[in-house]
Amino acid sequence: METPVFHPVGTPVLDLDTPALVVDLDVMDANMAELKRLLGRSTAGIRPDVASHGCPTIGHRQLAAGSPEGAGTQFNGIRVNTVGEAEVFAGAGFNDILIANPLVTRTKMARLCALARTTKISVAVDDANNAAALSATARESEVTLGVLIAVDAGSGLFGVAPGAKALSLAGEVARSPGLYLWGLTASLGWSNSPRVTSEGSQTSGPGQTANDSTNRLQEVVETSRQIQAEGIDSPVVSLAGVVDYQQVANTPEVTEIQAQSFGLADYNQCLHQPGFSPAPKILAGVISHPTEGSAVLDAGHKSTGPDLGLPVLEGIDGAQATRFSAEHGILQLEDGAAGQLKPGDKVWLVPFDLEMCANQYDYIRAVRNGKLEGFWPIAARGRFS
Amino acid sequence: METPVFHPVGTPVLDLDTPALVVDLDVMDANMAELKRLLGRSTAGIRPDVASHGCPTIGHRQLAAGSPEGAGTQFNGIRVNTVGEAEVFAGAGFNDILIANPLVTRTKMARLCALARTTKISVAVDDANNAAALSATARESEVTLGVLIAVDAGSGLFGVAPGAKALSLAGEVARSPGLYLWGLTASLGWSNSPRVTSEGSQTSGPGQTANDSTNRLQEVVETSRQIQAEGIDSPVVSLAGVVDYQQVANTPEVTEIQAQSFGLADYNQCLHQPGFSPAPKILAGVISHPTEGSAVLDAGHKSTGPDLGLPVLEGIDGAQATRFSAEHGILQLEDGAAGQLKPGDKVWLVPFDLEMCANQYDYIRAVRNGKLEGFWPIAARGRFS
């Protein structure tokens, strides 16, 4: 794991050793306020997708900030991707955890049931055999598992088709001992963005038009109505991949948003949602200046996670990050930047995709007003199973 | 970190939970033998690049296998990229460690000197100011640091130009108290491969022609001769990025090869060096089969590390891995594969680039004859600083 070179609270951020993943808390707070402003008086809760950062300290702050205006009580839910992540966050005091993926192996189902003894937990299901296996495991374990039917709203991943197929699966789950049908979960498509080429052309956007998104949302909501019309209790419509928050705010059937970057906007989000600013950044150090036109950073794939897009160098005219190897980032220096950026200098990179970036680190350095406030463990890093 | 769901030695590999990074030890042994065969009776030692896997257990096996035919004694050297990796491997008993990157921050130079008290350690330098700072730190710490001049042999990263500039820097290092000039290090260009697009077109190869490589090698060797002709002791020529091992075998001035994948051939290496077979693979599980033409795996970016190229599905006619999200891989199923691969099935993926893949895991599952032999910690994972 990352070498823990800790610095005392109050250390100026530029004195941190490099590379370092830093979160600016003032920016995070402002982004949280902006998302709540966009939702207005919607009663939809914000269920932070903590898999995007893996840090319980941040998760607790997101929950505290995320209660809906109209709800009156604090909303306690988070979304994770794996049972391993659920274990970490349950251990850190979270008590309403949605695992928004199917779990199919015996080991993972057994771990899920062990968690369900102490934590309100729900899991996504898109397959009748999987529902039957979960039911059997829950009964053996003497627990009740919450289940959300994963509806395919165009993400191209998993999920049953909306309408009849989802209705049929919901009926099976509702009839299965050991299972309790909570409702539906779907991704509207943010994660369906066209992938950015590794050469770094960052032309990707949410892989949907406004019309697509409206149609998908309506299909999910209609499916929820159909289930309820059958007399089946199905109180939850939980949406991931939301790009247009105001659309959701105008759809009262939506009970919660699995907010991928609640407060922690990455470059990709800021590109498409101008109300947000990047809170997470990577502090990188120049280690070489081999030619007038280039400099080499100590931050490469292993500390930036550029799978979905290259991190973007912040605010140096004439300089840009053009290529990353395992351990290094290459800056191209033109015009006023030529000949600048000598070994020992420090620069800021904005991660294109936070989830891939945070998953490379074991700690987030929390900073406010340019000074270190804390070294927060990314306790769920690597909990991919 | 990765959830440690351990299984007893002897567990059949297909009973491991998914996703899992598995190394087949028989394949690893055969690959090691093949590299030694290619080197013939060369006296160049093989210095395993342990940053490519981060696993001390594998590093010890590589050292045991890597002593040159003509050397008589065991060769003890490894190559790492960072002082954090050096700390882990020194703690695991390695006593000759080359950090093949410049270290420029005060913190990292201090850590380097602390290591030098107990371990034979050398570091790459490409800048006179950096050499001066290392000299000052070494003197304060009362240690002697080994230094290799990093020569730019076309990698496009760091390094001084071969010839006069390298000669001048070598002279400065040789005159600096606290430093000892070991010689030269250079990358011939394997890491200079054109980057694979994230859409997965795997047409990349070593970014060099045979002529380029010969010219680069000759420039490095000639620079070493020039330094020695000045009466400066410079015994080492240590090469990374070697694609043509037999070329090196025919160049007696080369004292060692920083072998990136000694035994652990990834898909990229196997594509260009047909004598090797993939020893590391990812065991992945099918979690959904949403349509006849697709299946979803539980292995995505976070467990395959596809930055430099998509992992390749092994041996299922009509099925191929086409897209990866953070947690999932999407298989396209055609012809005989359509309708196959149901939830619960397991498949094998070959990582395109081992270093990016291994850096996602905390353990390697070592397997021989289809049975688990050990759970080996990737102790240097994430030691990027």
Side-chain angles (χ1 to χ4, degrees), chain B residues 110 112-119 121 140-143:
Chain B
L112 179 70
C113 290
L115 271 176
R117 289 199 189 94
T118 56
T119 305
I121 200 151
E140 281 163 28
S141 306
E142 300 179 349
V143 297

Side-chain angles (χ1 to χ4, degrees), chain B residues 293-317:
Chain B
S294 67
V296 182
L297 302 179
D298 59 8
H301 281 266
K302 286 185 181 175
S303 54
T304 67
D307 304 46
L308 300 172
L310 296 185
V312 178
L313 185 71
E314 194 175 68
I316 302 179
D317 286 345

Side-chain angles (χ1 to χ4, degrees), chain A residues 1 3 17-18 101 105 108 126 157 195-196 198 288 301-302 307 327-328 330 355 362 381 383, chain B residues 1 3 17-18 81 101 105 108 126 157 195-196 198 288 301-302 307 328 330 355 362 381 383:
Chain A
M1 68 190 292
T3 316
D17 206 356
T18 53
N101 287 288
T105 70
K108 292 192 184 83
D126 73 349
L157 272 172
R195 294 196 61 210
V196 178
S198 53
S288 181
H301 281 266
K302 286 184 181 174
D307 303 46
E327 305 284 358
H328 303 106
I330 318 290
E355 186 161 348
D362 297 286
R381 193 218 67 77
R383 295 271 175 166
Chain B
M1 68 189 294
T3 316
D17 207 356
T18 54
N81 287 326
N101 287 288
T105 70
K108 292 193 185 82
D126 73 349
L157 273 170
R195 294 197 59 208
V196 179
S198 53
S288 181
H301 281 266
K302 286 185 181 175
D307 304 46
H328 304 106
I330 318 290
E355 185 161 348
D362 296 286
R381 193 217 68 76
R383 296 270 175 168

Side-chain angles (χ1 to χ4, degrees), chain B:
Chain B
M1 68 189 294
E2 186 178 350
T3 316
V5 180
F6 296 111
H7 294 77
V9 166
T11 299
V13 63
L14 290 175
D15 289 352
L16 298 178
D17 207 356
T18 54
L21 176 60
V22 171
V23 166
D24 187 307
L25 299 179
D26 285 324
V27 178
M28 183 172 89
D29 291 347
N31 287 337
M32 288 171 169
E34 170 66 4
L35 196 151
K36 293 197 74 175
R37 189 189 69 75
L38 288 170
L39 285 175
R41 299 197 64 76
S42 165
T43 52
I46 297 166
R47 181 182 283 273
D49 175 357
V50 296
S52 67
H53 54 72
C55 174
T57 316
I58 288 182
H60 283 300
R61 286 172 186 241
Q62 289 176 315
L63 279 188
S67 301
E69 291 289 333
T73 55
Q74 180 160 325
F75 181 76
N76 290 313
I78 56 170
R79 171 227 159 102
V80 298
N81 287 326
T82 66
V83 68
E85 290 168 351
E87 287 164 344
V88 168
F89 278 85
F94 293 79
N95 54 20
D96 172 0
I97 302 177
L98 162 59
I99 302 174
N101 287 288
L103 299 181
V104 303
T105 70
R106 289 167 59 96
T107 307
K108 292 193 185 82
M109 290 191 288
R111 289 162 63 194
L112 179 70
C113 290
L115 271 176
R117 289 199 189 94
T118 56
T119 305
K120 180 181 171 189
I121 200 151
S122 55
V123 66
V125 166
D126 73 349
D127 177 85
N129 289 332
N130 183 213
L134 283 171
S135 170
T137 314
R139 288 158 67 194
E140 281 163 28
S141 306
E142 300 179 349
V143 297
T144 301
L145 295 174
V147 167
L148 286 112
I149 307 299
V151 175
D152 179 10
S155 73
L157 273 170
F158 50 81
V160 287
K165 285 195 176 169
L167 186 58
S168 161
L169 184 56
E172 290 197 50
V173 167
R175 287 188 296 274
S176 297
L179 304 186
Y180 172 73
L181 180 70
W182 281 15
L184 305 183
T185 180
S187 175
L188 290 187
W190 177 276
S191 65
N192 199 27
S193 307
R195 294 197 59 208
V196 179
T197 70
S198 53
E199 280 69 30
S201 75
Q202 283 149 358
T203 56
S204 89
Q208 57 179 19
T209 65
N211 273 346
D212 282 348
S213 172
T214 303
N215 292 342
R216 290 169 184 172
L217 178 56
Q218 287 313 317
E219 285 181 333
V220 175
V221 165
E222 182 53 34
T223 302
S224 177
R225 284 200 200 105
Q226 289 168 5
I227 295 170
Q228 288 166 340
E230 298 277 318
I232 300 170
D233 193 32
S234 177
V236 170
V237 174
S238 182
L239 294 182
V242 173
V243 182
D244 184 344
Y245 294 114
Q246 294 188 295
Q247 178 188 47
V248 169
N250 294 327
T251 310
E253 292 87 350
V254 178
T255 59
E256 59 183 36
I257 297 170
Q258 298 163 32
Q260 194 171 356
S261 298
F262 182 38
L264 294 169
D266 51 25
Y267 190 87
N268 194 19
Q269 184 179 8
C270 296
L271 203 60
H272 299 102
Q273 296 178 320
F276 299 96
S277 301
K281 295 182 189 174
I282 301 150
L283 184 66
V286 177
I287 62 159
S288 181
H289 183 61
T291 67
E292 286 289 290
S294 67
V296 182
L297 302 179
D298 59 8
H301 281 266
K302 286 185 181 175
S303 54
T304 67
D307 304 46
L308 300 172
L310 296 185
V312 178
L313 185 71
E314 194 175 68
I316 302 179
D317 286 345
Q320 67 177 121
T322 55
R323 193 162 72 91
F324 287 77
S325 68
E327 304 283 358
H328 304 106
I330 318 290
L331 301 183
Q332 197 173 316
L333 310 176
E334 293 175 351
D335 306 327
Q340 306 298 312
L341 293 175
K342 296 294 166 59
D345 290 348
K346 291 179 179 177
V347 301
W348 290 103
L349 298 167
V350 181
F352 184 81
D353 181 272
L354 172 64
E355 185 161 348
M356 292 301 99
C357 178
N359 193 53
Q360 308 304 312
Y361 287 84
D362 296 286
Y363 301 97
I364 283 172
R365 286 78 168 161
V367 166
R368 202 186 288 275
N369 292 326
K371 295 203 169 138
L372 187 69
E373 279 215 355
F375 244 81
W376 296 347
I378 302 178
R381 193 217 68 76
R383 296 270 175 168
F384 42 69
S385 71

Side-chain angles (χ1 to χ4, degrees), chain A residues 163-178:
Chain A
K165 285 195 176 170
L167 186 59
S168 162
L169 184 55
E172 290 197 51
V173 167
R175 286 188 297 275
S176 298

Side-chain angles (χ1 to χ4, degrees), chain A residues 56-75:
Chain A
T57 315
I58 288 181
H60 284 299
R61 284 170 187 241
Q62 289 176 314
L63 279 188
S67 301
E69 290 290 332
T73 55
Q74 180 160 324
F75 182 75

